[in-house]
Amino acid sequence: MKQLFLLSFFISLWLSVSAQNPIVPPGVFIADPSAHVWSDGKLYVYGSRDESPAHYCSRSYRVLSSDDLRSWKLSGESFATKSKGDKGPFRDSLLLAPDAQYRDGKYYLYYCLFDFKNAEGVAVSNSPTGPFLDRKPIYVKGISQIDPCVFMDDDGQAYFIWGQFNGKVAKLKSNMTEIDTTTIKENVVTQKEHHFHEGGYMIKRNGLYYFIYADVSRSGRPTCLGYSTSKSPFGPFVYRGVIIDNSNSDPAVWNNHGSLVKFKDRWYVFYHRPTNGSVAMRKACLEPIEFKPDGSIPEVEMTSQGAAGPLNPFDETDAARACLVMGNVRIKTISENNDVLGEIHSGDKAAFKYFDFKDGADSVSIRLAPGSKPCRIVLNLDDSWGGSIGNIDVPAKGSADWITVKAAVKVQKGVHAVWFRFADPATSNMMGMPIGNDTQPCAELLQVDAFQFHKK
């Protein structure tokens, strides 16, 4: 059976993924991204894999990799608890957020099992993308919790980090598979003092240890990635603030989970955004970050461009790259390889950040499926109400399922955010401003697939 698993892994095709956010293709949902740069110079992302809006995670992992953060590859199945090749313990358990580490020619995958009291384990491979085999449990009686992370210090000492509401740290033995139980320290970061919820990750920069985690300081939900710093991996840690907040990435957004990594002299934050009006169906994204002289990290916003720089508005842009969705609208999966903007109500908004319009644009085309009612799409630059550049009245659904509508716009030169505002023509003026207080579906079943600007 092991041979079958190996064969299925190596013959699986790599899937190319484009540069912008999210960094996974339509139909693939990778959350809790833990990013590492290994000795080959490439960046690898290990994360959980969602498969249903009804629950977090699934029973297998896949690995993302890139050598430039613009072109991504998606591995075949790297580890599983339910597959033809699975003969290990804990069969059929959901796999929660993982991490990985490297030592002496071996790659170690640290996983977490939902169905076995959050038991954690480790598996080993000669490849950064697996398959990870020879799995072993990591038991810490009484304090086993979710979200394992392994931090490797400059002196080669590895630290195991885990926990929910209470972040825990312990030294790993040199075999990378056992915790030195004499070193376990609880409450290294806590919800009360540090807004710690779960999803710990650690880096070291300029002698300072950064503990990154899902931060519950806003809205009573862990939508932020926050961080605390210390001179020791065991603390004491001081809370420093929020790095990124994924609020308004989906109407049902609940959590965040991610990592920081330095790649080719630039630092990045990896995080996830949910889709489909669900707390799950999450997609990995990234943003560049900066460090101030005092070691603090200014908060960054979610964007559509990610690491690639401003998008080209004269190329077709997938509507599922919206970085903000407000109201009822959400990124919705309609087929195995297509995500769109759907469930649109009057008053909903979606933003795309950012585009470099060079010398400007004078028209736009939008591929969409009309709904059973007319809808007005108002386009704005830079914010959701100012800088209007035109609007499009979409007719009620006719005979065609998908149509392309075109309209004149007036876009000034430079780099801008683009906002879509949706309104019912019967209850709004020509600028999409509501007349009264209408939040009903402005175009039942309206879906927006893609758009493209043009210049004569």
Side-chain angles (χ1 to χ4, degrees), residues 13-17 25 28 62 64 72-76:
L13 296 178
W14 288 87
L15 300 178
S16 295
V17 187
V28 177
R62 302 177 76 176
L64 284 163
W72 291 87
K73 289 183 177 180
L74 181 65
S75 78

Side-chain angles (χ1 to χ4, degrees), residues 1-2 80 83-89 91 135:
M1 294 300 290
K2 179 182 288 189
S83 73
K84 291 181 179 179
D86 174 47
K87 299 295 288 185
R91 292 199 68 189
R135 60 195 71 184

Side-chain angles (χ1 to χ4, degrees), residues 346-416:
S346 181
D348 288 356
K349 297 177 283 188
F352 303 83
K353 299 181 177 183
Y354 289 89
F355 292 94
D356 187 352
F357 282 92
K358 304 297 184 183
D359 294 326
D362 49 36
S363 65
V364 66
S365 57
I366 305 175
R367 175 176 164 81
L368 52 81
S372 59
K373 297 180 181 179
C375 184
R376 178 167 293 143
I377 303 176
V378 182
L379 300 181
N380 294 77
L381 291 186
D382 301 325
D383 64 66
S384 60
W385 290 105
S388 177
I389 57 173
N391 59 62
I392 299 173
D393 282 330
V394 181
K397 186 174 182 178
S399 59
D401 289 332
W402 290 96
I403 63 172
T404 299
V405 295
K406 297 182 179 180
V409 296
K410 188 175 182 180
V411 181
Q412 56 190 300
K413 65 181 180 180
V415 176
H416 302 282

Side-chain angles (χ1 to χ4, degrees), residues 47-338:
S48 58
R49 189 181 64 80
D50 287 340
E51 63 179 1
S52 169
H55 61 79
Y56 294 121
C57 305
S58 65
R59 291 170 174 81
S60 67
Y61 295 141
R62 302 177 76 176
V63 181
L64 284 163
S65 64
S66 177
D67 57 13
D68 60 5
L69 303 191
R70 283 153 176 76
S71 177
W72 291 87
K73 289 183 177 180
L74 181 65
S75 78
E77 186 177 273
S78 61
F79 182 83
T81 58
K82 187 176 184 179
S83 73
K84 291 181 179 179
D86 174 47
K87 299 295 288 185
F90 311 125
R91 292 199 68 189
D92 299 345
S93 175
L94 287 172
L95 288 163
L96 304 184
D99 194 21
Q101 196 50 257
Y102 171 82
R103 168 164 271 167
D104 298 333
K106 299 288 185 181
Y107 297 89
Y108 296 84
L109 177 74
Y110 299 88
Y111 57 90
C112 181
L113 300 156
F114 176 75
D115 301 328
F116 291 85
K117 296 183 179 180
N118 301 323
E120 293 166 1
V122 59
V124 188
S125 177
N126 293 320
S127 165
T129 56
F132 292 92
L133 303 170
D134 301 322
R135 60 195 71 184
K136 300 176 182 179
I138 295 179
Y139 287 120
V140 181
K141 186 176 181 180
I143 59 171
S144 182
Q145 288 188 344
I146 63 174
D147 297 345
C149 166
V150 174
F151 163 69
M152 185 74 74
D153 209 343
D154 301 333
D155 61 1
Q157 176 62 58
Y159 295 84
F160 194 75
I161 299 161
W162 75 110
Q164 188 176 46
F165 313 120
N166 159 21
K168 307 166 180 60
V169 177
K171 288 184 178 181
L172 268 181
K173 295 181 180 180
S174 59
N175 61 16
M176 300 296 284
T177 63
E178 295 178 87
I179 288 175
D180 180 349
T181 57
T182 66
T183 66
I184 293 173
K185 184 174 181 180
E186 296 196 66
N187 297 305
V188 176
V189 289
T190 65
Q191 181 168 292
K192 182 178 180 180
E193 289 190 52
H194 309 89
H195 308 294
F196 172 78
H197 182 71
E198 62 191 17
Y201 185 89
M202 190 175 286
I203 66 164
K204 184 180 182 182
R205 179 183 178 273
N206 294 344
L208 199 61
Y209 295 86
Y210 290 73
F211 204 134
I212 301 100
Y213 47 83
D215 177 325
V216 74
S217 62
R218 297 178 183 171
S219 305
R221 297 171 297 160
T223 60
C224 300
L225 285 184
Y227 72 109
S228 297
T229 59
S230 174
K231 293 291 186 179
S232 164
F234 288 107
F237 280 89
V238 176
Y239 180 70
R240 302 293 295 272
V242 169
I243 302 170
I244 194 166
D245 186 348
N246 70 4
S247 291
N248 293 316
S249 57
D250 186 273
V253 61
W254 171 254
N255 75 351
N256 207 340
H257 186 147
S259 54
L260 300 187
V261 70
K262 186 179 182 181
F263 181 73
K264 296 185 178 179
D265 299 321
R266 186 90 192 253
W267 281 91
Y268 299 89
V269 58
F270 284 75
Y271 65 105
H272 65 228
R273 306 200 293 235
T275 64
N276 286 280
S278 166
V279 296
M281 306 305 281
R282 299 159 297 174
K283 286 180 173 281
C285 300
L286 78 158
E287 311 289 350
I289 61 169
E290 303 289 345
F291 289 85
K292 298 177 76 172
D294 65 355
S296 62
I297 306 170
E299 184 175 349
V300 296
E301 64 178 345
M302 294 185 292
T303 72
S304 305
Q305 69 188 46
L311 307 178
N312 182 353
F314 308 111
D315 290 338
E316 185 175 83
T317 298
D318 187 347
R321 296 202 184 279
C323 56
L324 295 174
V325 291
M326 299 180 179
N328 193 74
V329 61
R330 75 281 312 267
I331 296 165
K332 182 178 179 180
T333 302
I334 61 170
S335 69
E336 185 177 345
N337 59 2
N338 195 16

